[in-house]
Amino acid sequence: MNIILLGPPGSGKGTQSTYLSSAYKLNHISTGDILRSEISDKTKLGLQAESYMNSGDLVPDNLIIEMVSKKLSLLNSVLLDGFPRTLNQAESLDNELALLEKKIDFVFYFDVPAEDLVLRLSQRISCKNCSSIFSKIDKEYICSSNCKEQILYQREDDKPEAISKRMESYISLTTPLIDFYDKKRIMININANKSILEVSKEIDGIMQS
Ligand SMILES: [Zn+2]
């Protein structure tokens, strides 16, 4: 089973990806993690990516796609989180998967009304030690890595002025992706404007059907 999770920042995609990868034994693939490990292993791809990052440029699509393809060729049952981000990446992913004789089974889109996302994000605080994310409306904050000293702060990109920018760029990049997967009939809209448990149950219902 290969799954893609799509959803704007603050949609709860991260939380559900942790649940899904453990409940269904899926290999969680995030481009951030792949990038970090290629760089720390000093692979050819990692060194190339690093030179872009050092000069303040975005790592180009073709490098990211190569890194993801390398992972896909090694693993069965993956959960792609935060990739693809653009239509170009989605089309390349499709080509790579076809070569490997694999396919995407489901694309889950985490749907939350824009105004709720802004509210959720502006209430987000993070631990500086372990990057655990909490909401200001929670009563207790306990880091998943049990940090002795929690240093809680609001990330720069969770501040209100940054949020609307993030949302705009997310929507303009993702709309073509949604159409792309919709046409393939593997796109599933998840009403993510519910509790974590209810969203997990909705996904379970689809996975087990
Ligand atoms: Zn922590």
Side-chain angles (χ1 to χ4, degrees):
M1 177 95 72
N2 297 309
I3 291 171
I4 292 175
L5 296 188
L6 284 180
S11 62
K13 180 169 66 74
T15 310
Q16 297 298 334
S17 76
T18 311
Y19 165 71
L20 283 171
S21 39
S22 84
Y24 297 96
K25 302 201 167 32
L26 302 170
N27 293 289
H28 181 246
I29 294 189
S30 101
T31 45
D33 291 343
I34 296 180
L35 201 56
R36 277 187 288 276
S37 82
E38 294 274 348
I39 289 173
S40 73
D41 293 346
K42 300 198 188 301
T43 64
K44 193 173 150 233
L45 290 173
L47 292 172
Q48 280 177 285
E50 199 174 26
S51 74
Y52 284 100
M53 290 160 78
N54 287 345
S55 44
D57 293 322
L58 282 174
V59 180
D61 263 7
N62 64 323
L63 271 186
I64 300 280
I65 291 158
E66 257 191 84
M67 289 182 193
V68 174
S69 310
K70 195 168 130 187
K71 270 275 194 242
L72 288 172
S73 67
L74 300 170
L75 299 168
N76 281 317
S77 301
V78 298
L79 181 74
L80 285 165
D81 181 4
F83 181 91
R85 271 192 126 87
T86 61
L87 185 59
N88 174 43
Q89 289 182 350
E91 287 168 341
S92 309
L93 174 67
D94 241 38
N95 296 335
E96 290 297 334
L97 287 169
L99 290 174
L100 298 167
E101 295 179 342
K102 294 181 181 185
K103 67 176 176 67
I104 297 295
D105 298 283
F106 294 118
V107 178
F108 291 125
Y109 179 73
F110 287 67
D111 201 2
V112 185
E115 60 270 25
D116 292 313
L117 282 175
V118 173
L119 187 69
R120 281 195 197 188
L121 287 172
S122 60
Q123 287 169 337
R124 255 177 28 166
I125 44 174
S126 312
C127 172
K128 236 176 191 145
N129 283 330
C130 67
S131 355
S132 287
I133 291 171
F134 309 99
S135 170
K136 282 180 196 164
I137 43 180
D138 295 337
K139 291 205 178 63
E140 282 177 68
Y141 313 122
I142 300 159
C143 296
S144 49
S145 48
N146 288 316
C147 295
K148 284 206 183 73
E149 194 195 359
Q150 297 181 344
I151 309 161
L152 300 170
Y153 74 116
Q154 188 170 43
R155 288 179 1 189
E156 228 23 76
D157 58 353
D158 285 340
K159 290 184 177 160
E161 52 278 20
I163 293 172
S164 50
K165 266 197 168 170
R166 279 168 80 189
M167 290 304 303
E168 268 173 45
S169 83
Y170 182 81
I171 289 165
S172 68
L173 281 176
T174 316
T175 308
L177 269 187
I178 294 174
D179 295 341
F180 177 79
Y181 289 121
D182 226 4
K183 285 199 186 105
K184 292 180 168 290
R185 303 185 179 274
I186 50 171
M187 176 78 196
I188 293 168
N189 215 62
I190 300 289
N191 171 7
N193 202 20
K194 298 185 292 194
S195 73
I196 292 171
L197 196 66
E198 284 171 314
V199 174
S200 299
K201 276 190 183 159
E202 185 175 341
I203 300 174
D204 284 340
I206 297 158
M207 297 284 284
Q208 289 156 13
S209 67

